[in-house]
Amino acid sequence: MGHFSFPRFVIDQWTTIPQLEPVDLSGQTVLVVGANAGLGLEAAKHFARMKPGKLALACRTKKKCEDTAKEIQEVIGYGTISCYAVELADFASVVAFAEEFEKAEGRLDILLYNAGVSTQKYERTTDGWEKNLQVNLLSCALLSILLLPLVLKTSYLTAVTAHRPRLVFVTSDTHYWVKSIPEISNTSNILEKLNDKDYCNVKSVMDSRYFVTKLLIVLFTRELAARLPPSKAIINTVNPGLCHSGILRDVSGGLPLKVFVQIMARTTEVGGRLIVWAAIADRHREEALHGKYISDMEIREESELAISKDGYAMQRKLWGDIVDVLAAVAPRFKEVVDAHLSN
Ligand SMILES: NC(=O)c1ccc[n+]([C@@H]2O[C@H](COP(=O)([O-])OP(=O)(O)OC[C@H]3O[C@@H](n4cnc5c(N)ncnc54)[C@H](OP(=O)(O)O)[C@@H]3O)[C@@H](O)[C@H]2O)c1
């Protein structure tokens, strides 16, 4: 399915999602970024039920993290949890978190970048980036690349076992709604254009900004996966579908949206189940998941735009832009790209 189909969406939303088949996570370290609420909290609980060697949680504050760890301990009875603070709208915080994590943890088997924001209001972060763009895309790219050496070390440690480390980035089926963005396709610098204040002042631009960032994370993931062989790590995106959570808190839509969500949305537990599936499933044929978009516990085709010639051109341009921006944020970002990712 390269295009969004409303009947298909309704069927998906109302289809019963199977329980997760637990996998053996003993000795493994799982990191959930954005773990204190919504889907991230439920995903962390699902991982905790599988009793990993270590469950690491990253939340906006240490307190949110510790409260989450306490809840997981009480509800699931699992307590091998480490807590980290990270503010994803601040690159310095992401860099500091990556350094702290690498120093403290000996391995990273699963990275779930779940955190995300959806705001139609133009807000600039202290780093000067439009907030959706920084939290949903740039900080995800920064963190995953800075943690890549640890992932590769883990890959080496597990070379004799059947499974690879997994990097899973949460996207959305709303990326299908982005039909074309000619002003982006035709620009020499995608990120600069998306960050341009005048451009963001156009109402339709900010109205669709969340969907665009979710498309860009699909493109980033494909490019990253193309540069790293699946023998080293399996990287993919996952769509949880529409779920009850706090993600719509800043989205206009009034009563009709509320009613629609009430009728259509999945529980956060089901959404958490779906994103964890992308991180643990198909260990016997995990290469098949590399670079893929996963929805409803299966590989689905990305949007028509994503799979078009324009989409692939945008993907390559975006990669270059991301590397330029993040190399200036952290020199280590570029060192990791040069050392470990092919051209
Ligand atoms: N719910 C849906 O219908 C739906 C559908 C498709 C995709 N998704 C995706 O699913 C993921 C989880 O969203 P959700 O629905 O569970 O929403 P949510 O309840 O709003 O949870 C978002 C999580 O991200 C964290 N976060 C946001 N901005 C952050 C920042 N600057 N620094 C650190 N952490 C930050 C939040 O922490 P705080 O609590 O501190 O803000 C929270 O833990 C997102 O990527 C979202 O785009 C959701």
Side-chain angles (χ1 to χ4, degrees):
M1 166 172 116
H3 64 279
F4 184 80
S5 139
F6 188 69
R8 176 70 192 260
F9 166 78
V10 174
I11 292 167
D12 282 348
Q13 288 293 127
W14 286 347
T15 297
T16 304
I17 301 296
Q19 294 297 327
L20 285 168
E21 270 182 40
V23 297
D24 180 12
L25 295 178
S26 53
Q28 298 189 23
T29 298
V30 177
L31 168 60
V32 179
V33 180
N36 59 293
L39 306 182
L41 173 59
E42 292 303 322
K45 286 180 185 166
H46 282 299
F47 282 125
R49 286 187 190 96
M50 292 177 224
K51 308 216 176 315
K54 169 84 70 76
L55 178 60
L57 308 176
C59 306
R60 209 187 287 261
T61 64
K62 205 69 175 269
K63 167 91 171 66
K64 283 189 179 190
C65 229
E66 285 163 357
D67 289 348
T68 306
K70 200 164 157 247
E71 181 178 338
I72 291 173
Q73 166 80 64
E74 279 167 12
V75 178
I76 315 287
Y78 169 89
T80 317
I81 300 175
S82 47
C83 289
Y84 293 91
V86 64
E87 172 48 73
L88 298 162
D90 176 0
F91 288 140
S93 174
V94 177
V95 173
F97 164 53
E99 278 173 11
E100 188 191 357
F101 188 89
E102 198 177 7
K103 266 192 206 128
E105 309 290 345
R107 59 188 300 145
L108 179 53
D109 298 85
I110 295 175
L111 163 63
L112 174 63
Y113 192 96
N114 160 76
V117 281
S118 175
T119 167
Q120 295 162 314
K121 201 175 89 207
Y122 176 80
E123 261 179 79
R124 200 172 266 263
T125 66
T126 47
D127 294 307
W129 288 95
E130 187 284 313
K131 194 169 156 190
N132 296 272
L133 201 55
Q134 183 160 352
V135 173
N136 298 352
L137 175 73
L138 292 172
S139 286
C140 177
L142 181 60
L143 183 65
S144 52
I145 299 289
L146 291 180
L147 289 177
L148 194 59
L150 187 59
V151 169
L152 295 176
K153 181 180 150 199
T154 310
S155 184
Y156 178 74
L157 292 174
T158 57
V160 290
T161 63
H163 60 85
R164 308 284 89 226
R166 306 268 279 249
L167 275 65
V168 177
F169 307 141
V170 179
T171 182
S172 164
D173 49 3
T174 58
H175 90 274
Y176 286 113
W177 301 356
V178 186
K179 296 292 175 208
S180 74
I181 12 178
E183 60 280 25
I184 297 302
S185 312
N186 300 331
T187 184
S188 60
N189 190 314
I190 296 176
L191 293 176
E192 231 170 58
K193 180 73 184 177
L194 284 171
N195 201 39
D196 183 80
K197 193 165 185 246
D198 293 336
Y199 177 60
C200 291
N201 275 338
V202 179
K203 188 174 177 308
S204 61
V205 167
M206 281 312 291
D207 281 356
S208 62
R209 176 51 55 94
Y210 171 75
F211 320 143
V212 169
T213 61
K214 291 296 174 180
L215 168 70
L216 297 184
I217 201 68
V218 169
L219 302 186
F220 166 75
T221 305
R222 279 199 324 214
E223 188 64 24
L224 180 58
R227 288 166 184 267
L228 191 75
S231 56
K232 301 263 173 76
I234 307 297
I235 306 164
N236 50 45
T237 49
V238 63
N239 162 52
L242 178 66
C243 303
H244 294 286
S245 79
I247 197 77
L248 295 173
R249 70 176 73 76
D250 295 328
V251 175
S252 61
L255 190 62
L257 180 65
K258 279 200 180 103
V259 172
F260 182 74
V261 170
Q262 205 51 42
I263 296 169
M264 296 304 306
R266 292 166 165 153
T267 65
T268 42
E269 186 280 319
V270 169
R273 210 188 292 170
L274 285 164
I275 59 182
V276 168
W277 189 91
I280 61 162
D282 286 0
R283 286 184 156 200
H284 57 289
R285 49 158 219 132
E286 55 195 3
E287 292 82 4
L289 301 177
H290 193 50
K292 301 297 183 193
Y293 165 71
I294 294 170
S295 185
D296 297 77
M297 297 187 171
E298 62 182 26
I299 296 169
R300 295 259 174 102
E301 197 164 56
E302 311 91 288
S303 71
E304 268 170 13
L305 176 57
I307 61 173
S308 69
K309 212 169 132 223
D310 257 11
Y312 280 96
M314 211 191 297
Q315 172 180 323
R316 283 185 292 276
K317 218 193 283 179
L318 177 70
W319 177 264
D321 292 354
I322 288 178
V323 171
D324 287 348
V325 166
L326 296 180
V329 165
R332 186 161 153 73
F333 180 90
K334 185 72 169 55
E335 286 163 23
V336 175
V337 167
D338 290 345
H340 299 294
L341 299 172
S342 63
N343 285 315

